């Protein structure tokens, strides 16, 4: 009888160690840094995470879902009225319309191992209710992960100041792609 109980416990322990482990990101430490460029310069800032989870199996990444709080979109290269004006414009319907679309979401769909602690990721990114695939590399180091990638805002219905949609913008042209640098801590 004792041997049977011990065997059953051993089986449960083995099954439990094979199951996927869910690791929540630390939303206080994790951050999205963005840079948007235009003909006459660039602006940069941050967006906070609302929540996020990485899934591992045997210490190997197998999935993840992240939600960005778009209402926290901040400009970090300006101060005063310039900062306030830009943040208001980026949160308006011309850009991210944060009154209606308070969050953006990224869901990892496929993962390839490139080398130890480096993964090639294909994910679905949803901004303003529109979903498009994106690809990037995700590098793990200790209890953190980092990535850099570009997003074509026009694929998400953000066309304001885009030379791809409007003629004669001249030096008011804003480039379609913006850059993201993401730091995740879990």
């Amino acid at each position: 009888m004792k041997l049977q109980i011990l065997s059953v416990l051993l089986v449960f322990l083995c099954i439990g160690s094979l199951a996927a482990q869910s690791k929540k990101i630390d939303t206080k430490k994790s951050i999205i840094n963005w840079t948007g460029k235009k003909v006459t310069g660039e602006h940069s800032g941050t967006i906070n995470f609302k929540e996020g989870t990485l899934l591992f199996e045997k210490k190997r990444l197998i999935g993840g879902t992240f939600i960005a709080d778009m209402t926290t979109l901040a400009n970090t290269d300006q101060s005063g009225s310039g900062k306030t004006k830009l943040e208001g414009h980026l949160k308006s319907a011309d850009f991210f319309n944060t009154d209606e679309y308070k969050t953006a979401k990224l869901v990892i769909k496929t993962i390839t191992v490139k080398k130890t602690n480096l993964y090639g990721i294909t994910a679905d990114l949803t901004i303003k209710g529109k979903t498009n695939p994106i690809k990037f590399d995700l590098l793990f180091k200790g209890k953190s992960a980092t990535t850099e990638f570009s997003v074509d805002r026009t694929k998400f219905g953000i066309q304001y100041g885009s030379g791809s949609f409007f003629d004669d913008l001249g030096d008011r042209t804003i480039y379609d792609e913006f850059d993201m640098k993401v730091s995740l801590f879990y």
Side-chain angles (χ1 to χ4, degrees):
M1 182 68 162
K2 288 182 182 178
L3 186 57
Q4 288 174 330
I5 293 172
L6 185 60
S7 296
V8 169
L9 286 174
L10 188 58
V11 168
F12 281 120
L13 286 174
C14 289
I15 290 171
S17 66
L18 295 176
Q21 290 184 318
S22 176
K23 303 277 186 177
K24 289 185 181 243
I25 65 166
D26 183 338
T27 56
K28 301 263 189 256
K29 289 180 166 179
S30 301
I31 193 77
I32 302 165
N33 290 285
W34 58 265
T35 301
K37 298 177 182 173
K38 55 186 180 175
V39 172
T40 57
E42 64 183 47
H43 290 292
S44 58
T46 60
I47 301 169
N48 296 332
F49 283 99
K50 183 174 182 178
E51 62 186 73
T53 305
L54 292 161
L55 296 174
F56 295 92
E57 188 173 89
K58 296 181 183 178
K59 297 184 180 182
R60 182 176 176 264
L61 182 68
I62 61 167
T65 302
F66 308 92
I67 298 177
D69 182 351
M70 296 304 292
T71 65
T72 66
L73 189 150
N75 169 241
T76 57
D77 68 289
Q78 293 181 303
S79 61
S81 64
K83 172 184 173 67
T84 304
K85 183 177 177 184
L86 179 60
E87 287 175 354
H89 195 201
L90 291 173
K91 291 178 181 182
S92 78
D94 284 344
F95 284 93
F96 295 100
N97 194 6
T98 62
D99 285 341
E100 187 174 343
Y101 302 100
K102 296 187 183 317
T103 61
K105 185 175 184 179
L106 184 136
V107 178
I108 295 175
K109 292 302 197 180
T110 61
I111 302 167
T112 57
V113 178
K114 291 193 161 190
K115 61 181 183 179
T116 304
N117 297 325
L118 181 65
Y119 298 90
I121 306 292
T122 301
D124 282 346
L125 177 62
T126 303
I127 299 173
K128 290 181 69 173
K130 293 181 175 30
T131 302
N132 287 287
I134 61 165
K135 293 183 179 194
F136 55 90
D137 289 343
L138 187 59
L139 176 64
F140 283 82
K141 186 175 182 179
K143 297 282 185 190
S144 67
T146 57
T147 187
E148 296 181 21
F149 56 91
S150 295
V151 175
D152 182 344
R153 64 188 174 94
T154 63
K155 290 183 177 182
F156 299 93
I158 305 169
Q159 300 170 353
Y160 183 89
S162 169
S164 299
F165 290 88
F166 302 100
D167 295 328
D168 302 323
L169 291 172
D171 64 1
R172 295 175 301 157
T173 301
I174 301 168
Y175 298 124
D176 292 345
E177 290 193 341
F178 62 95
D179 299 325
M180 307 277 280
K181 290 183 182 181
V182 180
S183 298
L184 302 172
F185 296 90
Y186 57 98

